[in-house]
C-alpha cells in the first residue's frame, strides 16, 4: 500500500467517499495473474496430551528467534530457511506465510521445507501442529495479551460464542492469487466465491469441538461466519468488486480504536460513520489499513485475492487445494468452465459447511470441479508425479462420498 503523499499513514480521512476510494484502489490491484502464495495455519498441541492448554512461554521457547513480537516483545522474527515468516494467532495457532511466487513448483518446495523446519522446532519442545481446521480438544483460550486481540475478543464476545472460537480455536489454509487484469477481476472474484461451497465441503475436516461432535462437517466455517455476520460472510457479488468491497468495509464495525492502552471501539461504530466525523478524533489512512486487517470474509482482497474458506489440512494436504485453485484460475476459459461447474452449489455455504459432500448439489459441483481441475493441473507447472498424486487424492475424496451415498 502506498504511504506517501495524500495517503500517508498519518493523514486524516476527510469523508466516507475518500475512504471508499482508497479501499477500492489498494485492495484490487490489476495486472497479469502471475503470482501464487499460501499461508498455512495450525492449532498447536502438546504431543503427549492434545487436551492440555498451551502456554505462551512454552510456545515462545519453541519458536525462538522466529517468534513474532506479539508473542515475544522485541523478537527479531527471523524468517524460516526458505523465507516464511512465523506469526501467532490469539489462541496460540501458528501460521507461516512465505513470499509469493510465479513458479508454483518452487512455492511448493519452499513451503514444504519451511513446514518441516517449523514442525521440527515445535517437536523439540514436545509440541505438534494440529490436524484439523478447529481445535477438537480444548475450549477457546486467548494467550496473546496485545491490545488488538483484547479489544477484538471483547467486541466478538458481545455477539455470541463464535467470535472467541474463531479467534482462538480455528486454523485455516489460505491460498493467494492475483486479482488479474481489470477486465478479468470480476470473473476471478466471482469464481473464487462460487467455488467456495464445494471446496469448503471437499476439504472439510473440523467436525469436532471440545471433544464433541458439532454436527457440522466444517465447524470452523460455522464459527467464522457466525463471528460478525454479515461481515464474515460473502459480500455482494454484483457490480464492480472494488466498489462493493469498499462499501462493505465502510459498513463493517470498527473493532480496534488504536488510542491509548485499551483499544475498544464504541459499540456500533462503523468505519464509514467514523470517516464522516462520528468521533472528534478523525481516522487516518493508517487506521483504515488496520480496519481492513480486522475483516474476515471468505475471500479478502488485499491487492491480491486471499482465499480464506478452507480448513487447515494435515501434513502435506494443503498441496491439493492449492493446486486445484491454481489450475482453475490458470486461464479465463478454464475459469469460465469452473463457474459453470460450481453453479449448482454456488451460494450454498451453510449446507456445504453442515453437510459437507453429503449435500447432493455440493457433491455434484465438487465432482465436476475435481474433474476439471485434474485435467488442467499441468498448467501449474508441477511434475507429472505430483499431478498424478494430487489427482488421485482429489478423486478419492469425491468418489468415496459418492459410493457411500449410493450404498
Amino acid at each position: 500500500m502506498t504511504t506517501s503523499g495524500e495517503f500517508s499513514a498519518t493523514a486524516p480521512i476527510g469523508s466516507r467517499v475518500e475512504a471508499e476510494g482508497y479501499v477500492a484502489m489498494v485492495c484490487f490491484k490489476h495486472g497479469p495473474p502471475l503470482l501464487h502464495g499460501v499461508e498455512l495455519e495450525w492449532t498447536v498441541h502438546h504431543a503427549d496430551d492434545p487436551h492440555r492448554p498451551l502456554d505462551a512461554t512454552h510456545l515462545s521457547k519453541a519458536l525462538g528467534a522466529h517468534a513474532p513480537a506479539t508473542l515475544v516483545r522485541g523478537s527479531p522474527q527471523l524468517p524460516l530457511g526458505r523465507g516464511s515468516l512465523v506469526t501467532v494467532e490469539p489462541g496460540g495457532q501458528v501460521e507461516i506465510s512465505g513470499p509469493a511466487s510465479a513458479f508454483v513448483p518452487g512455492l511448493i518446495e519452499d513451503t514444504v521445507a519451511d513446514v518441516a523446519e517449523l514442525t521440527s522446532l515445535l517437536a523439540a519442545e514436545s509440541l505438534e501442529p494440529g490436524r484439523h481446521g478447529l481445535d477438537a480438544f480444548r475450549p477457546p483460550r486467548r494467550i496473546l495479551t496485545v491490545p488488538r486481540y483484547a479489544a477484538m475478543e471483547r467486541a466478538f464476545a458481545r455477539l455470541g460464542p463464535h467470535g472467541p472460537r474463531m479467534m482462538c480455536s480455528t486454523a485455516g489454509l489460505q491460498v493467494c492469487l492475483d486479482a488479474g487484469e481489470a477486465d478479468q477481476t470480476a470473473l476471478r472474484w466471482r469464481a473464487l466465491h462460487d467455488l467456495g461451497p464445494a471446496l469448503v465441503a471437499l476439504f472439510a475436516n473440523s467436525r469436532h469441538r471440545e471433544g464433541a461432535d458439532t454436527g457440522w462437517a466444517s465447524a470452523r466455517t460455522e464459527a467464522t461466519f457466525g463471528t460478525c455476520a454479515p461481515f464474515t460472510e460473502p459480500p455482494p457479488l454484483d457490480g464492480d468488486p472494488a466498489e462493493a468491497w469498499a462499501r462493505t468495509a465502510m459498513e463493517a464495525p470498527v473493532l480496534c480504536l488504536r488510542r491509548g492502552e485499551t483499544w475498544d471501539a464504541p459499540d456500533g461504530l462503523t468505519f464509514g460513520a467514523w470517516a464522516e466525523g462520528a468521533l472528534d478524533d478523525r481516522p487516518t489512512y493508517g487506521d483504515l489499513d488496520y480496519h481492513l486487517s480486522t475483516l474476515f470474509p471468505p475471500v479478502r482482497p488485499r491487492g491480491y485475492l486471499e482465499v480464506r474458506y478452507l480448513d487447515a489440512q494435515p501434513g502435506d494436504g494443503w498441496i491439493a487445494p492449492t493446486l486445484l485453485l491454481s489450475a482453475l484460475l490458470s486461464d479465463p476459459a478454464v475459469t469460465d468452465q469452473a463457474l459453470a461447474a460450481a453453479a449448482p452449489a454456488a451460494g450454498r455455504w451453510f449446507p456445504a459447511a453442515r453437510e459437507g459432500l453429503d449435500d447432493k448439489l455440493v457433491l455434484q459441483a465438487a465432482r465436476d470441479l475435481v474433474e476439471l481441475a485434474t485435467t488442467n493441473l499441468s498448467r501449474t507447472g508441477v511434475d507429472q508425479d505430483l499431478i498424478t498424486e494430487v489427482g488421485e487424492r482429489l478423486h478419492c475424496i469425491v468418489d468415496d462420498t459418492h459410493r457411500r451415498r449410493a450404498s
Side-chain angles (χ1 to χ4, degrees):
M1 296 180 180
T2 180
T3 56
S4 61
E6 61 179 320
F7 298 128
S8 69
T10 57
I13 297 173
S15 68
R16 171 173 172 151
V17 171
E18 289 181 16
E20 286 189 3
Y22 178 80
V23 172
M25 178 185 68
V26 301
C27 289
F28 288 86
K29 297 185 183 297
H30 303 302
L34 300 175
L35 297 179
H36 303 73
V38 292
E39 299 177 20
L40 309 181
E41 185 181 19
W42 304 268
T43 56
V44 177
H45 303 266
H46 294 274
D48 63 344
D49 181 6
H51 298 84
R52 185 147 55 105
L54 184 65
D55 178 79
T57 302
H58 193 174
L59 181 59
S60 65
K61 183 178 180 182
L63 297 180
H66 304 289
T70 52
L71 182 66
V72 180
R73 183 174 298 180
S75 171
Q77 195 181 12
L78 298 180
L80 298 172
R82 297 293 183 94
S84 294
L85 286 178
V86 179
T87 54
V88 175
E89 296 301 310
Q93 309 98 306
V94 171
E95 180 179 75
I96 64 170
S97 55
S101 175
F103 185 56
V104 175
L107 173 70
I108 292 174
E109 180 182 339
D110 289 344
T111 305
V112 166
D114 280 346
V115 170
E117 182 179 354
L118 176 64
T119 302
S120 178
L121 290 171
L122 294 175
E125 292 299 323
S126 300
L127 298 173
E128 62 184 14
R131 298 177 56 82
H132 307 284
L134 181 72
D135 192 327
F137 307 101
R138 304 169 300 198
R141 173 176 168 267
R142 181 168 61 88
I143 70 169
L144 295 186
T145 59
V146 295
R148 169 187 173 100
Y149 296 129
M152 290 175 64
E153 182 178 58
R154 286 188 286 267
F156 287 153
R158 294 195 293 267
L159 303 176
H162 291 307
R165 291 170 184 159
M166 188 274 286
M167 286 183 59
C168 300
S169 297
T170 61
L173 158 63
Q174 297 170 23
V175 180
C176 303
L177 301 164
D178 282 331
E181 300 284 11
D183 63 347
Q184 292 294 324
T185 296
L187 171 70
R188 293 169 69 82
W189 176 248
R190 176 170 285 279
L192 289 176
H193 284 87
D194 283 6
L195 295 170
L199 300 194
V200 164
L202 190 63
F203 299 107
N205 68 8
S206 54
R207 189 175 184 92
H208 293 87
R209 180 179 64 228
E210 298 178 46
D213 189 333
T214 65
W216 289 68
S218 176
R220 172 186 174 271
T221 300
E222 178 201 19
T224 301
F225 279 15
T227 293
C228 190
F231 303 104
T232 51
E233 297 176 11
L237 299 180
D238 297 329
D240 178 68
E243 292 179 2
W245 177 245
R247 289 193 300 270
T248 297
M250 291 302 103
E251 293 160 5
V254 175
L255 298 181
C256 298
L257 195 66
R258 299 181 299 162
R259 307 291 190 272
E261 295 183 3
T262 302
W263 289 7
D264 294 34
D267 192 19
L269 176 69
T270 67
F271 199 94
W274 190 12
E276 287 292 301
L279 302 180
D280 292 337
D281 187 7
R282 298 200 69 85
T284 65
Y285 286 100
D287 290 322
L288 180 48
D289 288 340
Y290 204 86
H291 173 66
L292 294 173
S293 77
T294 67
L295 304 182
F296 307 102
V299 182
R300 184 164 64 179
R302 303 182 60 188
Y304 52 90
L305 304 180
E306 180 185 77
V307 174
R308 301 178 55 86
Y309 48 67
L310 298 168
D311 282 357
Q313 302 295 300
D316 65 356
W318 59 272
I319 296 175
T322 299
L323 291 184
L324 182 148
L325 278 167
S326 297
L328 294 178
L329 274 290
S330 62
D331 181 87
V334 177
T335 305
D336 278 330
Q337 295 176 61
L339 274 170
R348 295 182 65 81
W349 293 95
F350 287 98
R354 281 194 305 267
E355 306 300 329
L357 294 177
D358 285 339
D359 182 279
K360 182 178 179 180
L361 294 176
V362 171
L363 176 59
Q364 176 187 337
R367 292 185 71 188
D368 290 345
L369 287 169
V370 164
E371 185 62 35
L372 178 63
T374 53
T375 60
N376 285 280
L377 285 175
S378 61
R379 292 177 178 271
T380 66
V382 298
D383 62 42
Q384 186 57 50
D385 287 346
L386 185 55
I387 288 173
T388 300
E389 177 186 339
V390 168
E392 290 175 350
R393 183 175 297 189
L394 292 172
H395 280 293
C396 182
I397 297 172
V398 293
D399 290 346
D400 282 354
T401 303
H402 182 72
R403 285 192 293 269
R404 177 170 52 79
R405 286 174 55 87
S407 63

